[in-house]
Amino acid sequence: MDPNKVDEESGDMSGDGEMASVMGFSGFGKKARTFDLDAIFEQTRRTAIERTQRVLEERQKVEQMEEEGESSKSVKPLVKTQRDKPAAAASRRKQESDSSSDSGSDSDSDSELIGPPLPPQYTSEKDGDERSRVPHPSGSVAQSEDDDDDDDEEDAQDDDDNPVKKIPDTHEITLQHGTRTVSALALDPSGARLVTGGYDYDVRFWDFAGMDQSLQAFRSLQPCECHQIKSLQYSNTGDVILVVSGNAQAKVLDRDGFNVMECVKGDQYIVDMAKTKGHTAMLNSGCWHPKIKEEFMTCSNDGTVRTWDVSSEKKHKSVFKPRSFQGKKVIPTSCTYSRDGKLIAAGCQDGTIQIWDRNLSVHTKFHCRQAHIPGSDTSCIAFSYDGVTLASRGGDDTLKLWDIRNFKKPVNVATGLTNYFTMTDCCFSPDDKLLVTGTSVKKDEGNGKLVFFDRASFQKVYEIEVTKTSVVRCLWHPKLNQIMVGTSSGLAKVYYDPVKSHRGAKLCVVKSQHKERQAETLTQDYIITPHALPMFREARQRSTRKQLEKDRLDPKKSHKPEPPVSGPGRGGRVAAHGGTLSSFIVKNIALDKTDDSNPRQAILRHAKEASDNPYWVAPAYTHTQPEPLFAEESEEDEEAEKEPAWKKRKI
């Protein structure tokens, strides 16, 4: 062997080692692994033949056992063969590895694998694949599994066909809006935020993702001052909110409650309402256009339905004027768009439902003159998702279903649904198979209910007893599959199902309530010196709890002082006077300075002191003041006094 050649090889190996240490990986300079494709194909063919023979043998065994009537024991050979398969698979893998090692035995480096080892799941997955390739025998086991699958499919199909099982009512949360009626509800299209409005003039914002189990609103405001909130609705993009209240001007707020626009008020001295720029009387309802995100609609007691554009707040876009059979003005109490936005519907006080084409505001396209009893407020009208069916909730305690293609008479009618509110809702379920509405009750006379009707048969299929007060608003969100309910007691309830519902109320019920951090109190260090002199001895530190309890029982010490009066006076108290003269005079007039004593005595009580010690007046006139001379009483005066009254001279 040539020593020079050995030295060169050792030098190359040492160079490779240094390069491997510098580059940070092993196997540097080794050859790539080579495969003999012919050997691999031959091994695969043999494995397939063996596997086919094994499957055929198993089938023959199973058929023989079925013929003998021992079908119950047919499970054992299957289990046994499945247990034998890992060993067979391991032996086959060993043979394959041996053949591959033989085929790649050109050098020792070829047998080494470059990279990390195979994960342990790899072998189990291969075994699982081999097991799954074995066909099920045509025995009782396979038949029972097929029967179970068929039963499961039938049950699932029954659940899909029965809309009652899709109602999410297994769980509920309660949101405290206030103490007055919750007259408006709105959910944004994504289902992240809920907005409630009520008779207490407040609008509250609830964020499901930001709330915890305390269920507190993150914002409360009064956008319309002292006007009740009639309706709230998010736009189809969810970026703005329409607020309809008891005044004549609708407002549009953004997601955080800041004002975006306010509709203009019309001239109330103009007779033709089409000539005014806005409403002149109280609003009743409003909604957004389902396709055009800048357009919305309002209806008012001035007898008009107006459409608006967010970008132009100085004037409405178009005016629709409902008319009675005699051609007189009637008041629309509810309004809505169709699902495609091409139709505008309004329910009126004379019991009619009038539908216009959005682009033609003169004549109605569909008109039903006796939809509900005249004089009863139609509280809600809603289009179904297919766009041809209309539901109306009347003040005559009925719920009616209409087909606008045959608008003369209702398709179905449900009676006995008490309604005391002008904004009681009705809505369709997300699958369009159910119709939902709420019922009203008087105080302490039962429970308000959420009633579900089947759309096809119009039979009452389900009901939920919500609370001891009336159910005013209801909203079934299609994306969350959750039902929001507004009641007359100031509560807003959310019904959901952990399995069928998504997000929404499920986000906040899993968050624990945040504990408030108690303020850390700083205590003074107390040094105990029992043998100190009396002048240096500190007072004994005593507990203040008993003293606080005594002070609490004392009516004088525990009396809360009245806060200062701000603004105009109330309760007999006058506000603190400012810098104006009028406020100072009012303050002094309210003071009690009455003196019930004799005014003569009040003046003469200072007479003796003034005569004995003159100070103010007498010293100034001592040199110039003459002696006072008083007239003396004569006898004539005495006689005149003795004369009768009728003889006396009248002065």
Side-chain angles (χ1 to χ4, degrees):
M1 191 171 184
D2 191 0
N4 296 329
K5 190 175 181 181
V6 173
D7 295 337
E8 289 176 0
E9 289 179 357
S10 62
D12 293 340
M13 292 177 64
S14 62
D16 292 343
E18 293 176 359
M19 183 63 72
S21 62
V22 171
M23 297 297 289
F25 57 84
S26 61
F28 181 78
K30 295 181 180 180
K31 295 181 181 180
R33 186 175 177 181
T34 58
F35 297 94
D36 189 357
L37 295 179
D38 296 335
I40 293 174
F41 288 150
E42 181 65 23
Q43 183 65 30
T44 305
R45 188 178 66 79
R46 292 176 183 175
T47 305
I49 294 172
E50 292 176 0
R51 188 174 298 166
T52 305
Q53 292 177 354
R54 193 180 303 110
V55 171
L56 292 175
E57 291 175 359
E58 290 173 358
R59 286 182 181 177
Q60 291 176 0
K61 289 180 181 179
V62 171
E63 289 176 358
Q64 291 176 1
M65 294 176 70
E66 284 181 355
E67 291 175 358
E68 294 174 358
E70 297 179 356
S71 59
S72 60
K73 298 180 181 179
S74 62
V75 182
K76 295 182 180 180
L78 290 176
V79 175
K80 186 175 181 181
T81 54
Q82 288 180 358
R83 287 177 180 173
D84 295 340
K85 282 177 185 176
S91 63
R92 286 196 301 273
R93 284 197 301 272
K94 187 175 181 181
Q95 292 174 3
E96 290 176 1
S97 62
D98 294 341
S99 63
S100 61
S101 61
D102 294 340
S103 62
S105 59
D106 295 338
S107 63
D108 296 337
S109 61
D110 292 345
S111 62
E112 296 180 3
L113 292 176
I114 301 175
L118 292 175
Q121 295 91 354
Y122 183 75
T123 55
S124 61
E125 288 177 0
K126 290 182 68 175
D127 297 343
D129 294 340
E130 292 173 0
R131 291 193 191 100
S132 62
R133 293 190 188 98
V134 179
H136 289 287
S138 58
S140 60
V141 178
Q143 186 68 28
S144 62
E145 290 178 356
D146 294 340
D147 294 341
D148 294 340
D149 294 341
D150 294 340
D151 294 340
D152 294 340
E153 290 177 0
E154 289 177 0
D155 295 340
Q157 190 173 2
D158 293 340
D159 292 344
D160 294 339
D161 294 339
N162 190 1
V164 179
K165 294 185 178 180
K166 296 181 181 180
I167 298 175
D169 65 331
T170 57
H171 295 69
E172 67 173 276
I173 61 172
T174 302
L175 308 176
Q176 182 70 44
H177 172 84
T179 56
R180 307 285 301 277
T181 301
V182 178
S183 56
L185 280 176
L187 256 176
D188 66 341
S190 64
R193 285 189 178 180
L194 173 69
V195 182
T196 58
Y199 281 5
D200 55 358
Y201 323 133
D202 287 342
V203 173
R204 294 181 183 269
F205 292 77
W206 314 80
D207 191 350
F208 289 121
M211 283 194 300
D212 55 11
Q213 291 181 358
S214 61
L215 303 177
Q216 297 295 323
F218 74 90
R219 181 162 292 132
S220 177
L221 51 95
Q222 292 184 354
C224 301
E225 297 180 351
C226 297
H227 294 282
Q228 295 176 351
I229 307 299
K230 295 294 188 72
S231 176
L232 293 170
Q233 189 178 9
Y234 273 94
S235 64
N236 55 357
T237 55
D239 54 348
V240 286
I241 310 166
L242 174 63
V243 181
V244 176
S245 63
N247 62 354
Q249 297 170 272
K251 282 191 174 183
V252 177
L253 308 178
D254 63 3
R255 286 179 63 86
D256 296 322
F258 297 103
N259 195 12
V260 175
M261 67 133 350
E262 183 178 11
C263 298
V264 68
K265 187 175 181 180
D267 190 349
Q268 55 190 349
Y269 296 103
I270 296 177
V271 177
D272 189 2
M273 287 292 104
K275 302 298 182 182
T276 61
K277 296 180 180 180
H279 289 294
T280 60
M282 179 184 74
L283 299 176
N284 290 323
S285 180
C287 62
W288 287 96
H289 193 283
K291 303 294 184 183
I292 305 173
K293 67 177 184 177
E294 295 88 5
E295 183 180 324
F296 63 93
M297 172 175 57
T298 56
C299 64
S300 169
N301 277 359
D302 61 4
T304 61
V305 178
R306 300 174 190 261
T307 59
W308 304 81
D309 196 306
V310 176
S311 58
S312 60
E313 60 183 11
K314 298 298 183 183
K315 194 179 187 303
H316 59 255
K317 289 180 66 176
S318 58
V319 182
F320 302 86
K321 295 188 288 186
R323 289 289 182 260
S324 64
F325 182 70
Q326 295 83 11
K328 296 181 180 179
K329 180 181 74 173
V330 293
I331 296 176
T333 57
S334 59
C335 61
T336 186
Y337 282 99
S338 61
R339 295 287 176 177
D340 57 1
K342 295 180 180 180
L343 299 178
I344 289 177
C348 304
Q349 270 187 347
D350 63 344
T352 62
I353 297 178
Q354 305 183 24
I355 302 177
W356 296 268
D357 191 324
R358 176 177 165 270
N359 299 321
L360 302 174
S361 60
V362 180
H363 299 292
T364 58
K365 189 173 183 179
F366 306 101
H367 196 147
C368 183
R369 299 196 179 278
Q370 294 181 349
H372 293 279
I373 296 176
S376 63
D377 294 340
T378 303
S379 60
C380 179
I381 52 178
F383 277 93
S384 62
Y385 288 91
D386 58 14
V388 297
T389 306
L390 180 70
S392 63
R393 182 74 164 97
D396 54 357
D397 302 343
T398 60
L399 175 66
K400 297 185 179 182
L401 199 65
W402 308 83
D403 191 336
I404 61 174
R405 296 167 295 186
N406 185 14
F407 209 38
K408 299 297 181 182
K409 60 180 181 179
V411 179
N412 289 302
V413 180
T415 58
L417 304 172
T418 312
N419 184 8
Y420 295 148
F421 295 88
T422 59
M423 65 280 298
T424 302
D425 258 338
C426 65
C427 64
F428 287 89
S429 62
D431 59 359
D432 230 8
K433 294 182 180 179
L434 296 177
L435 189 58
V436 190
T437 188
T439 60
S440 304
V441 292
K442 292 183 179 180
K443 190 175 182 180
D444 299 331
E445 290 189 4
N447 294 332
K449 297 178 181 179
L450 198 63
V451 188
F452 297 81
F453 292 92
D454 185 79
R455 179 182 167 183
S457 63
F458 225 64
Q459 298 292 324
K460 184 169 71 172
V461 295
Y462 198 72
E463 66 179 19
I464 301 174
E465 290 191 357
V466 179
T467 179
K468 292 185 178 180
T469 53
S470 303
V471 176
V472 182
R473 289 287 188 179
C474 60
L475 177 65
W476 195 336
H477 197 273
K479 191 171 184 180
L480 301 182
N481 194 25
Q482 299 178 13
I483 302 175
M484 284 68 183
V485 179
T487 65
S488 60
S489 61
L491 301 178
K493 293 200 171 187
V494 182
Y495 291 90
Y496 68 97
D497 190 305
V499 179
K500 303 169 187 173
S501 302
H502 309 283
R503 300 176 64 82
K506 294 171 61 178
L507 298 177
C508 56
V509 295
V510 297
K511 295 182 180 179
S512 60
Q513 187 173 353
H514 294 289
K515 294 182 179 179
E516 296 181 358
R517 293 182 178 179
Q518 298 180 353
E520 297 180 356
T521 57
L522 299 176
T523 57
Q524 185 179 3
D525 294 335
Y526 179 66
I527 301 173
I528 301 174
T529 55
H531 302 293
L533 295 174
M535 61 183 299
F536 300 110
R537 190 175 299 163
E538 295 182 3
R540 182 183 175 187
Q541 195 174 29
R542 298 181 180 180
S543 175
T544 59
R545 184 172 60 85
K546 292 185 178 180
Q547 185 63 32
L548 290 174
E549 291 177 355
K550 289 182 181 179
D551 293 343
R552 188 64 178 167
L553 297 175
D554 190 354
K556 289 185 178 181
K557 291 184 178 181
S558 62
H559 176 68
K560 181 183 177 182
E562 295 182 358
V565 181
S566 60
R570 61 178 183 273
R573 299 178 61 199
V574 181
H577 64 276
T580 61
L581 177 62
S582 60
S583 63
F584 179 76
I585 292 173
V586 170
K587 177 74 175 179
N588 289 333
I589 287 174
L591 297 177
D592 187 12
K593 294 183 178 180
T594 58
D595 189 1
D596 297 334
S597 61
N598 191 351
R600 177 180 174 83
Q601 293 178 358
I603 295 173
L604 292 178
R605 65 183 177 180
H606 304 288
K608 185 178 180 181
E609 184 181 356
S611 61
D612 294 344
N613 187 17
Y615 180 76
W616 296 108
V617 179
Y621 297 99
T622 53
H623 301 289
T624 60
Q625 186 69 22
E627 292 278 337
L629 298 176
F630 299 104
E632 296 180 358
E633 294 182 358
S634 59
E635 296 178 357
E636 295 178 357
D637 296 336
E638 293 177 359
E639 291 177 358
E641 289 178 0
K642 292 179 181 180
E643 290 180 357
W646 60 274
K647 284 187 176 183
K648 288 183 179 180
R649 185 180 176 182
K650 294 181 180 179
I651 300 174

